[in-house]
Amino acid sequence: MKDLTKLHPIDYVKLLYRRRWYVIAVFLLVSIGAAVYAWRKPDVYRSEARIQVEAAPMPQDYVRPSIRTSPEEQIASIRSAVQSRSLLERMIQDFQLFGYGMGEDFSMEAAVRGVSNNIEITTSSRDTFNVAFHASNPQLAQAFTRRMVETLIQSSTSARRSKAVETDQFLEDQLRRTAEKLAEQEEKIKQFKMAHFGRLPDQFDANMRTLNQLDVQLASVENAIGQLHDRRKMAETMARNQQQMMLMTQQLMNSSPDLSDAGIDAPRTDPVLEAKERELEALLLKYTPQYPDVVRLGREIEYLKQKAAREAESASAAEGGGDEAILPSGIDDFAGLPPGAGPDPEIESIENDIRRQEKEKAAILRQIQSVQARLNLAPALEQELTVLNREYSTLKSQYDNLQSKKFQSQMTTNLETDRSSDTYRVIDEASLPEKPIFPDRIQIIGLGLVAALAAGVGAAIGRELLDTTLASEEEVTALLKIPVLATISEVPAKQLKKPGRSGGMLKSA
C-alpha cells in the first residue's frame, strides 16, 4: 500500500487530477441525492403556545393545597401528563393521526410513538413553559397544539380537584369511623362506672370519709351498749334490793302488832327511794336534766315520795283504828304500783335498747366491711379505668386531629372547585405557523455539496491507495529503496490499454 503521508501538495493535486472521474462521479451522486432529499422531504410546521403557572390565590398558611404547589412541580406534572397513553390515544382519535410519523404502520402503538415524538415541552422561565407540536400542515399543528393545551390544563385542574374531593371524602370517612369508636369507648366507660359505682378511684376520698364516720358511729354505739349494760346491772341490783325490801316490809308489816305492843316503832324510811335518789345523783353528774333516764328516775322518785306520804297517812290512821287496817293498807299500796315503776319493765326496756343497739352495731359493721371492700378494690379498678381513659384519650386526640384536617380539607376543596382559582393562564395562544421549520432546503443542498466534495476526494484517495502501480520516480525510490536508471517517455492516451489511467507509465530498470 502506498504511503501518502510523504507526498508534496503538488502530488495531491496530481493525484486528484489523475482520479478526477472518481471525484466527479461521487460528487454528482451525493449532490443529486442531497437535492432530491431536500425537495422531496415534506414540510414540518411548528405551532407553539406559552402557559404561565400562577401562584395560589390563597397563602398556604391559610389554605393548604391538595397536591403540588410550586411551578416547577406543576410543570413536571404537565410533562408527565403529556406521556399519558390515554391522553395521546384520545388526541389521535380526535385528529385521525393513525400512522402519523411512522410510515405505513397504522397501528395505535405506532401512532402513539409518532405523536409523542412530535410533542415538545420546554421551560422558558421558572413559572412559564411552552407547549409545541410538529405537523405536516400549519392548520393541524395549530389545532392540535390548542387542543392539547386545553386538555392538559383541564386534566391537571380536574386531577387537582378530584384529589381534593377524594381527600375530603377519605377524611370524612375516617372521621365518621373514629367518632363511632369514640362513642363506643364512652359507652364502655359509662357502663364501667355504673357497674362499679361507689368503688371508683375518684370516690376514694368519699369512701374514706364514710369509713371515718362509720368508725365514729360504731364507737358511739359501742359506748351506748356499754352504758346500757351498766344500767342493766344497776337495774338488776336495784330489783334484787327492791325485792328484798318488799319482803322485809311485808315481814315488818306482818309483825307490826307485836312491835307496837313492845313499844318499838316500825321503820319509816324507804330504801328503794334512797337507791333511786342515789342513781339520779349519779346520772346528773354525767347528763343534763333533760336526759330521758334522768326524767324517768325523777318521775319514779316523785311517785315513791307520794307513796311514802300515803303510807305515812295510812300509818297514822292505823294508830287510831286498830290493827286490822295496817296490813290491808300496806298490801293494797304495794299491789297498786304502776307497771313502769317496777324493776322488771325497766330491765326489759334496757334489754330492748341493747338489742336495738346491737342490731345497729351489726349494720354499721356490715357497712364498714362494704366500704373497706370498695377501698381494697379501688387499685384494680383504677388500673382498668386508666386503660379505658387512655384509649379514650387516644381516640379523642385522633378525632380532634381528623376534625382539624377535615376542616382544612373542606377549605381546600372549596378553593380547588372554585373556577376563579385556576393556576394556569395561557399567555400566547397556539400560533398558525407561516413557514415550515423543516426542511431548510438551501441548507441541506449546501451541506450536500460539501459532503459530495468530501466524498469525491475520499473516493479518489481511496482508489489511489488501492492502486498497486507506481506513477513517478519518487514513488519508486521511496517504495523500492533503489535508484531509477531509466524512464520511458509518456505513451499517448489512445494507445493505453487502460483508458482510465492518466499520466505516463514509467518503467524502472
Side-chain angles (χ1 to χ4, degrees), residues 133-144:
F133 181 71
H134 300 161
S136 58
N137 63 79
Q139 291 77 15
L140 176 60
Q142 182 186 29
F144 191 93

Side-chain angles (χ1 to χ4, degrees), residues 53 66 92 103 185 296 301 323 347 353 387 405 462 470:
V53 180
S66 57
I92 291 171
Q185 191 66 19
R296 180 178 58 78
I301 291 172
D323 297 336
I347 293 174
D353 292 340
V387 174
K405 291 182 178 179
L470 300 176

Side-chain angles (χ1 to χ4, degrees), residues 317-337:
E319 290 178 357
D323 297 336
E324 297 178 357
I326 298 174
L327 185 57
S329 174
I331 294 173
D332 292 339
D333 292 338
F334 201 76
L337 288 173

Side-chain angles (χ1 to χ4, degrees), residues 5 35 121 137 142 180 187-188 190 226 241 266 280 303 313 342 363 367 374 418 442 459 464 486 495 498 502:
T5 58
I121 304 292
N137 63 79
Q142 182 186 29
E180 292 176 356
E187 184 64 22
K188 287 182 182 179
K190 177 182 176 182
N241 293 335
L280 179 61
Y303 174 79
E313 292 177 357
Q367 293 180 3
R374 294 177 186 177
D418 187 5
I442 298 176
E464 184 69 22
Q495 297 181 8
K498 296 180 181 180
S502 61

Side-chain angles (χ1 to χ4, degrees), residues 390-407:
R390 185 185 301 116
E391 295 178 357
Y392 175 81
S393 299
T394 302
L395 290 173
K396 187 66 169 60
S397 177
Q398 293 177 358
Y399 180 81
D400 293 339
N401 190 19
L402 286 173
Q403 196 171 25
S404 176
K405 291 182 178 179
K406 177 62 173 63
F407 176 74

Side-chain angles (χ1 to χ4, degrees), residues 277-293:
E277 289 177 348
R278 287 195 299 272
E279 184 181 359
L280 179 61
E281 292 176 358
L283 290 176
L284 288 174
L285 294 176
K286 297 180 179 180
Y287 306 104
T288 62
Q290 288 78 20
Y291 192 73
D293 292 339

Side-chain angles (χ1 to χ4, degrees), residues 47-49 91 95 131 133 140-152 429-432:
S47 180
E48 184 180 43
M91 298 290 291
F95 289 91
V131 178
F133 181 71
L140 176 60
Q142 182 186 29
F144 191 93
T145 304
R146 183 177 298 169
R147 177 72 64 82
M148 184 171 56
V149 168
E150 294 175 356
T151 304
L152 289 175
E429 294 285 348
S431 59
L432 179 64

Side-chain angles (χ1 to χ4, degrees), residues 25-241:
V26 173
F27 178 79
L28 291 176
L29 288 175
V30 175
S31 299
I32 293 172
V36 171
Y37 173 81
W39 289 108
R40 290 182 61 85
K41 189 67 177 178
D43 293 335
V44 177
Y45 295 89
R46 183 176 186 271
S47 180
E48 184 180 43
R50 180 175 297 179
I51 304 170
Q52 182 181 14
V53 180
E54 296 181 343
M58 293 291 291
Q60 296 186 15
D61 296 338
Y62 298 114
V63 180
R64 209 175 280 250
S66 57
I67 53 178
R68 298 182 177 95
T69 57
S70 66
E72 293 85 354
E73 291 176 334
Q74 295 191 26
I75 294 174
S77 176
I78 292 292
R79 292 180 184 274
S80 301
V82 169
Q83 303 301 324
S84 172
R85 183 180 180 87
S86 60
L87 173 64
L88 294 177
E89 289 180 355
R90 188 167 63 251
M91 298 290 291
I92 291 171
Q93 292 175 357
D94 291 343
F95 289 91
Q96 296 298 315
L97 298 178
F98 295 98
Y100 183 80
M102 290 296 171
E104 300 299 328
D105 190 355
F106 290 91
S107 64
M108 178 60 73
E109 186 69 27
V112 168
R113 289 198 303 269
V115 172
S116 177
N117 292 333
N118 285 278
I119 296 176
E120 182 181 351
I121 304 292
T122 58
T123 303
S124 57
S125 65
R126 179 180 177 274
D127 57 351
T128 305
F129 64 97
N130 302 325
V131 178
F133 181 71
H134 300 161
S136 58
N137 63 79
Q139 291 77 15
L140 176 60
Q142 182 186 29
F144 191 93
T145 304
R146 183 177 298 169
R147 177 72 64 82
M148 184 171 56
V149 168
E150 294 175 356
T151 304
L152 289 175
I153 293 177
Q154 183 179 3
S155 175
S156 178
T157 304
S158 299
R160 195 171 63 247
R161 292 171 180 170
S162 176
K163 182 67 174 179
V165 172
E166 290 177 1
T167 303
D168 185 67
Q169 292 178 352
F170 173 77
L171 289 176
E172 184 176 359
D173 183 62
Q174 293 297 317
L175 185 64
R176 178 181 55 80
R177 294 182 182 180
T178 306
E180 292 176 356
K181 293 181 181 179
L182 188 62
E184 292 177 359
Q185 191 66 19
E186 290 176 348
E187 184 64 22
K188 287 182 182 179
I189 295 176
K190 177 182 176 182
Q191 295 296 332
F192 181 84
K193 289 184 177 181
M194 291 178 63
H196 301 284
F197 181 77
R199 294 174 289 181
L200 298 175
D202 54 357
Q203 297 174 336
F204 182 83
D205 295 337
N207 289 331
M208 286 298 299
R209 289 193 297 269
T210 302
L211 183 62
N212 294 332
Q213 293 176 0
L214 290 174
D215 289 338
V216 173
Q217 294 179 8
L218 180 62
S220 177
V221 170
E222 289 178 347
N223 187 22
I225 291 174
Q227 293 179 0
L228 288 174
H229 281 293
D230 294 339
R231 286 179 54 194
R232 185 178 63 180
K233 291 179 181 179
M234 186 178 296
E236 290 175 352
T237 302
M238 291 177 60
R240 288 194 298 268
N241 293 335

